[in-house]
Amino acid sequence: MRDGSVVSLDLQAPWLTVIGLGEDGLAGLGDAAKRCIASATVIFGGARHLELAGPLITGEAHVWASPFERSIDAILSLRGSPVVVLASGDPLHFGVGATLARRIDPAEMRVLPFPSSFSLAASKLGWALQETQTVSLHGRPVDLIRPLLHPGVRVLALTSDAQAPAALAKLLTESGFGQSRFTVLEALGGSNERLTHHIAAQFSQADVNALNVCAVEVVADKGARILTLAAGLDDALFEHDGQITKREIRALTLSALAPRRGELLWDIGAGSGSIAIEWMLTDPSMRALAIEVSAERVARIGRNAARFGVPGLTVVHGAAPDALSGLTPPDAIFIGGGGSRDGMMDAARSVLREGGRLVANAVTTEMEAVLLASHVRFGGTLIRIDIARASPVGSMTGWRPAMPVTQWSWTKE
């Protein structure tokens, strides 16, 4: 094919149309969307969406099944017939359109979006959407907002139900952001639209429409729990029993792990889960498994993950290397504990994806010997990290050295 030439592809005509609806129903749709609804053999959607589009529907109407996957399978079984799916707002922004696009060739599907809830909320508030943080809490833990809570930041949060604004206001208050300005935007674009303004710590509104977006203008109290963007968060933010990779070592470890969007980390011997948690904080697409043998620490990792806004962290209770069997192969592995066990290093190296990174830290001579031997056999990078902290010496101040850490980093080729 020559540069600049045009190639005609024989693509199958779209049989599935995904239409975004607003609270104004049919009044907000264009002619093309209305024609699709009227001519569709089968239509899927939520009960509310089917009611809004009801005057135009002539085909079979199906309310979403439970579990939801049953409806997706039903749609796929109708391939080739004119099918319409009704959704809220922009179907490809935290919507059913994104789910369908993972199963259906884009050439077989067209999407007719309506402004998203975020767009509608921003337009009501006069906020520049590109300067606003957005998060979907629809069917997801409210803790996901925590990493966005920085002074002066504006956040739009799509919620699940009428109870979510109160839960969000409580989280803000308990985390030291109680003076944040808090707006609840209900039923945007419809006849029941309403905006109410509050201070998070004083939120007491009882009658909230289930269809709502919360807008937060973040104000931090003294001592607020702010999760900074830098690697190496304050140790005091973590619940731990002493088994934690200290902040300076953690920052260097994360640098060596070199996280890239969408990757999966195994944090073996996770302790407090600090490495896995900070790995996930680098980007919402990051995934991690924390493998830990202590049941008490497993529970603690779960609590830490929630408080850092990464509730999707998966915790595996068991002793490596046996506990590694059957897990999804990782893009990166950190070994912070148990690395001197028989077979551990070989198991970690063998399961790592090509191009993956393995980082292991040692504070004991036994583990250091393992890392020295691994460096001789496989190459990689070996460094020694010595940290000293200023602390009182009588009435004066002196340097108190921490235990030195040997770190081995290796990339699988």
Side-chain angles (χ1 to χ4, degrees), residues 9-16 79 101 104-111:
L9 299 179
D10 183 19
L11 299 177
Q12 183 173 341
W15 56 270
L16 174 64
R79 177 177 265 112
I104 297 173
D105 189 321
E108 301 178 55
M109 178 175 74
R110 63 173 169 170
V111 178

Side-chain angles (χ1 to χ4, degrees), residues 30-365:
D31 291 341
K34 292 177 181 178
R35 285 194 298 269
C36 287
I37 293 172
S39 62
T41 305
V42 183
I43 293 184
F44 290 83
R48 182 174 61 88
H49 297 136
L50 293 172
E51 181 180 353
L52 288 170
L56 284 181
I57 295 176
T58 58
E60 297 179 19
H62 296 269
V63 178
W64 293 125
S66 180
F68 181 69
E69 192 64 24
R70 286 174 51 200
S71 290
I72 301 299
D73 291 338
I75 292 170
L76 292 171
S77 72
L78 295 169
R79 177 177 265 112
S81 300
V83 177
V84 163
V85 167
L86 301 177
S88 295
D90 184 348
L92 287 172
H93 195 202
F94 296 109
V96 67
T99 302
L100 290 166
R102 288 191 285 268
R103 301 281 300 275
I104 297 173
D105 189 321
E108 301 178 55
M109 178 175 74
R110 63 173 169 170
V111 178
L112 303 177
F114 189 82
S116 70
S117 296
F118 294 135
S119 294
L120 293 173
S123 69
K124 293 293 179 181
L125 298 167
W127 290 6
L129 199 51
Q130 74 274 12
E131 298 171 1
T132 302
Q133 298 295 318
T134 59
V135 61
S136 175
L137 305 179
H138 186 76
R140 306 166 78 200
V142 70
D143 291 306
L144 289 169
I145 199 172
R146 292 181 186 270
L148 305 179
L149 300 179
H150 290 187
V153 167
R154 288 173 167 175
V155 183
L156 289 175
L158 176 65
T159 73
S160 288
D161 51 41
Q163 289 72 47
L168 183 53
K170 180 181 179 183
L171 181 151
L172 291 168
T173 303
E174 293 177 348
S175 302
F177 301 96
Q179 295 308 303
S180 297
R181 291 179 289 277
F182 191 77
T183 301
V184 181
L185 302 96
E186 305 168 66
L188 287 170
S191 58
N192 295 320
E193 179 178 290
R194 179 174 64 166
L195 276 68
T196 54
H197 304 281
H198 314 265
I199 298 299
Q202 301 169 10
F203 182 81
S204 60
Q205 183 178 339
D207 58 330
V208 178
N209 191 298
L211 301 173
N212 67 80
V213 176
C214 293
V216 183
E217 296 178 85
V218 181
V219 177
D221 302 333
K222 184 178 180 180
R225 185 180 170 84
I226 299 171
L227 305 179
T228 65
L229 298 178
L233 294 170
D234 191 336
D235 295 346
L237 292 170
F238 294 88
E239 179 187 347
H240 64 90
D241 58 2
Q243 289 291 336
I244 183 172
T245 303
K246 300 297 191 293
R247 66 181 302 177
E248 299 88 351
I249 306 300
R250 195 182 326 124
L252 292 170
T253 300
L254 286 160
S255 175
L257 286 167
R260 303 168 187 172
R261 286 184 176 86
E263 289 191 324
L264 172 66
L265 170 76
W266 284 4
D267 182 356
I268 300 175
S272 66
S274 63
I275 293 291
I277 286 169
E278 289 215 37
W279 168 276
M280 292 186 69
L281 284 172
T282 60
D283 189 82
S285 66
M286 306 304 283
R287 299 166 295 138
L289 299 176
I291 297 97
E292 174 55 52
V293 67
S294 164
E296 183 178 355
R297 289 175 184 158
V298 163
R300 185 177 294 120
I301 292 169
R303 293 193 295 271
N304 277 331
R307 295 197 69 210
F308 279 88
V310 289
L313 172 61
T314 300
V315 187
V316 177
H317 183 201
D322 293 343
L324 308 181
S325 178
L327 301 181
T328 303
D331 302 287
I333 295 176
F334 171 62
I335 301 178
S340 58
R341 293 196 190 107
D342 289 343
M344 173 71 82
M345 299 301 289
D346 288 339
R349 284 189 306 98
S350 66
V351 77
L352 193 63
R353 294 181 186 273
E354 185 175 341
R357 289 85 61 203
L358 170 61
V359 178
N361 290 351
V363 293
T364 65
T365 55

Side-chain angles (χ1 to χ4, degrees), residues 329-407:
D331 302 287
I333 295 176
F334 171 62
I335 301 178
S340 58
R341 293 196 190 107
D342 289 343
M344 173 71 82
M345 299 301 289
D346 288 339
R349 284 189 306 98
S350 66
V351 77
L352 193 63
R353 294 181 186 273
E354 185 175 341
R357 289 85 61 203
L358 170 61
V359 178
N361 290 351
V363 293
T364 65
T365 55
E366 291 81 3
M367 182 60 178
E368 184 177 58
V370 171
L371 299 189
L372 292 172
S374 295
H375 182 249
V376 170
R377 291 178 60 196
F378 306 109
T381 301
L382 196 65
I383 64 172
R384 186 178 177 87
I385 307 167
D386 290 282
I387 301 290
R389 296 181 177 84
S391 60
V393 179
S395 61
M396 306 184 78
T397 302
W399 294 105
R400 195 174 300 278
M403 293 181 67
V405 175
T406 300
Q407 183 179 93

